[in-house]
């Protein structure tokens, strides 16, 4: 499945309009994946996450040199701080200085989810859209930012307020790029994996229960980790198929994304995206249990797995009003209805529109430190 000469294709052009390939060792000179979509020799504009190791960036430079490619490498600071209109404007300016051929020189974007988002957004607005290739380098990027067609930047204190739907020409998943990923980054990615497992894939949930993630940095490079990644991406694609541009706003993939913005935007101790999603899942499951929708045994399984994965299950100190404001903002985003996914059991959800502030507050109290939940 991960032989450079025979990459696995998880999404194809016939169905999605773009490809997601699993291809190991994309910086090896005999792997031509990064040259997709344009002439060789030729030119490429490459956007790189500044958080990547010097070894990887040097390897990227050597790769293109080996194929006699002229490259312009633009390094961006990783993390949410780079998802700004100003940064996207800077990218557009650099693309114009490079005199990019708008059809035959695909932009290559390599990095974590934030860099993938802002880079893709810039590609979507420059000359009404130029081709681009996504290469995630974090677990979160593998299972979330690289999978669909959304691009975005943050604005006015809101995540992803400005964005487009614009598909890449190619997504490359190379597990070797995850080597040395910090433990916290791995666990953040697992928060998004949990979203899919709890929302629509009980088999994935069982796969996670069988994992030994005591050493997260080592685990993410393992064969079993790649099996989890592939299963997650395939499940995500099934949910997105036919609804890539969100013509239907009642979506299972919105599980974990109703309360989480409050924790990501916490001015005192902001969480990583996957950590906030995981905590959102616990709140959502608590509400479902309080409504007698979710069996107590399933809630126990969920909390046990969360602990095993090192994900948060206790609330930070945060005003409940801030969490409710997140609900109201998401309701507006979802066409005036909450469309809140609640797990009926592991792998299955129902949608509700009648969550109240008091009901949310009760769930938050149950999860507060010292509650013995």
């Amino acid at each position: 499945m991960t032989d450079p000469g025979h990459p696995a294709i998880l999404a194809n052009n016939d169905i999605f309009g773009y490809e997601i390939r699993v291809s190991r060792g994309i910086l090896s000179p005999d792997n031509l994946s990064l040259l997709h979509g344009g002439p060789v020799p030729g030119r490429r504009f490459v956007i790189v996450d500044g958080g990547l190791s010097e070894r990887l960036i040097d390897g990227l430079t050597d790769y293109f040199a080996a194929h006699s490619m002229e490259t312009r490498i633009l390094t961006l600071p990783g993390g949410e701080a780079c998802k700004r209109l100003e940064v996207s404007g800077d990218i557009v300016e650099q693309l114009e200085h490079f005199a990019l051929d708008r059809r035959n020189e695909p932009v290559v974007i390599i990095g974590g989810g934030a860099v993938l988002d802002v880079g893709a957004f810039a590609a979507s607005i420059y000359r009404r859209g130029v081709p681009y290739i996504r290469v995630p380098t974090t677990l979160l990027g593998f299972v979330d930012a690289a999978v669909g067609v959304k691009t975005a930047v943050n604005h006015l204190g809101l995540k992803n307020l400005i964005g487009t739907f614009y598909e890449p020409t190619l997504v490359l998943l190379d597990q070797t790029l995850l080597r040395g990923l910090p433990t916290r980054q791995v666990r953040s990615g697992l928060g998004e994996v949990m979203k899919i497992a709890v929302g629509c894939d009980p088999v994935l949930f069982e796969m996670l229960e069988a994992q030994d993630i005591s050493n997260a940095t080592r685990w993410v490079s393992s064969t079993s980790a790649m099996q989890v990644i592939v299963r997650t991406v395939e499940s995500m694609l099934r949910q997105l198929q036919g609804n890539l541009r969100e013509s239907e706003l009642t979506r299972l993939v919105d599980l974990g994304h109703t309360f989480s913005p409050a924790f990501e935007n916490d001015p005192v101790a902001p969480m990583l995206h996957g950590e906030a999603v995981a905590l959102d899942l616990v709140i959502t499951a608590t509400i479902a249990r309080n409504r007698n929708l979710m069996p107590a045994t399933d809630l126990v399984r969920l909390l046990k797995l969360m602990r095993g994965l090192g994900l948060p299950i206790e609330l930070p100190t945060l005003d409940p009003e801030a969490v409710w404001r997140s609900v109201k903002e998401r309701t507006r985003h979802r066409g005036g209805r909450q469309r809140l996914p609640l797990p009926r059991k592991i792998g299955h959800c129902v949608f509700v529109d009648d969550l109240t502030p008091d009901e949310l507050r009760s769930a938050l109290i149950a999860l507060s430190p010292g509650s013995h939940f």
Side-chain angles (χ1 to χ4, degrees):
M1 180 177 65
T2 54
D3 177 1
H6 302 86
I9 298 177
L10 303 184
N12 61 63
N13 284 303
D14 292 339
I15 296 176
F16 292 95
Y18 61 98
E19 286 190 2
I20 299 179
R21 297 182 191 170
V22 177
S23 184
R24 192 176 185 87
I26 62 171
L27 296 183
S28 172
D30 62 349
N31 189 326
L32 305 182
S33 298
L34 278 179
L35 304 176
H36 173 86
V40 180
R43 305 190 320 149
R44 293 296 184 274
F45 189 97
V46 186
I47 300 172
V48 177
D49 192 321
L52 301 181
S53 68
E54 290 185 11
R55 176 190 58 80
L56 196 154
I57 295 176
D58 288 344
L60 182 66
T61 301
D62 292 343
Y63 174 87
F64 283 112
H67 293 284
S68 302
M69 301 294 290
E70 177 188 343
T71 58
R72 164 76 168 92
I73 296 180
L74 174 63
T75 302
L76 298 181
E80 290 296 308
C82 80
K83 286 181 60 171
R84 296 181 291 114
L85 272 176
E86 296 86 350
V87 174
S88 63
D90 289 342
I91 296 171
V92 166
E93 185 175 331
Q94 293 290 336
L95 290 171
E96 181 60 16
H97 288 166
F98 186 69
L100 186 84
D101 183 315
R102 64 182 297 211
R103 290 292 178 264
N104 298 308
E105 293 175 351
V107 178
V108 180
I109 310 170
I110 304 175
V115 169
L116 296 181
D117 279 349
V118 69
F121 177 69
S124 77
I125 61 174
Y126 177 62
R127 296 185 178 272
R128 300 184 183 89
V130 295
Y132 72 101
I133 296 171
R134 274 180 173 150
V135 184
T137 58
T138 63
L139 179 57
L140 186 67
F142 267 55
V143 300
D144 183 28
V147 178
V149 300
K150 293 193 289 188
T151 82
V153 293
N154 304 332
H155 196 57
L156 300 178
L158 296 174
K159 278 184 62 66
N160 303 327
L161 182 65
I162 300 174
T164 62
F165 294 111
Y166 189 65
E167 64 271 16
T169 57
L170 178 65
V171 176
L172 292 172
L173 303 182
D174 181 356
Q175 191 184 15
T176 64
L177 300 180
L178 299 179
R179 289 173 181 165
L181 196 65
T183 294
R184 190 180 180 193
Q185 290 285 347
V186 176
R187 299 196 190 287
S188 177
L190 286 168
E192 278 287 339
V193 176
M194 279 290 294
K195 173 193 78 174
I196 295 297
V198 174
C200 59
D201 195 338
V203 173
L204 178 59
F205 193 94
E206 292 172 358
M207 290 174 67
L208 286 171
E209 288 180 312
Q211 303 299 308
D212 177 6
I213 310 184
S214 54
N215 187 326
T217 297
R218 180 183 301 168
W219 172 82
V220 79
S221 296
S222 68
T223 300
S224 60
M226 197 61 204
Q227 291 169 345
V228 167
I229 290 169
V230 169
R231 177 83 189 192
T232 304
V233 172
E234 289 175 338
S235 293
M236 182 76 155
L237 289 170
R238 282 193 293 271
Q239 294 301 316
L240 296 178
Q241 187 172 343
N243 195 31
L244 275 173
R245 286 167 172 77
E246 300 180 12
S247 55
E248 171 55 57
L249 296 177
T250 304
R251 309 184 322 137
L252 279 172
V253 292
D254 282 337
L255 180 66
H257 291 73
T258 301
F259 315 115
S260 56
F263 304 112
E264 289 186 77
N265 295 329
D266 184 354
V268 177
M271 288 184 166
L272 298 180
H273 178 70
E275 295 170 336
V277 167
L279 193 53
D280 186 310
L281 289 176
V282 177
I283 297 170
T284 304
T286 303
I287 293 169
R289 176 59 197 146
N290 289 344
R291 290 188 175 208
N292 291 318
L293 283 174
M294 188 179 201
T297 51
D298 279 14
L299 180 57
V300 169
R301 281 181 70 194
L302 186 149
L303 294 174
K304 180 180 179 182
L305 181 54
M306 288 282 194
R307 291 188 183 97
L309 299 178
L311 292 168
I313 61 172
E314 283 191 351
L315 288 178
T317 302
L318 188 65
D319 181 3
E321 284 300 317
V323 186
W324 184 249
R325 284 196 297 272
S326 179
V327 175
K328 291 194 293 185
E329 192 280 324
R330 289 293 86 190
T331 298
R332 189 157 57 93
H333 186 70
R334 296 169 187 169
R337 290 172 49 192
Q338 290 178 358
R339 304 178 198 263
L340 173 64
L342 293 180
R344 184 170 57 83
K345 60 180 180 178
I346 298 297
H348 301 274
C349 285
V350 297
F351 293 87
V352 303
D353 292 314
D354 59 350
L355 180 71
T356 66
D358 287 343
E359 186 179 15
L360 174 60
R361 188 181 297 272
S362 295
L364 297 179
I365 290 172
L367 294 169
S368 60
S371 65
H372 307 292
F373 180 74

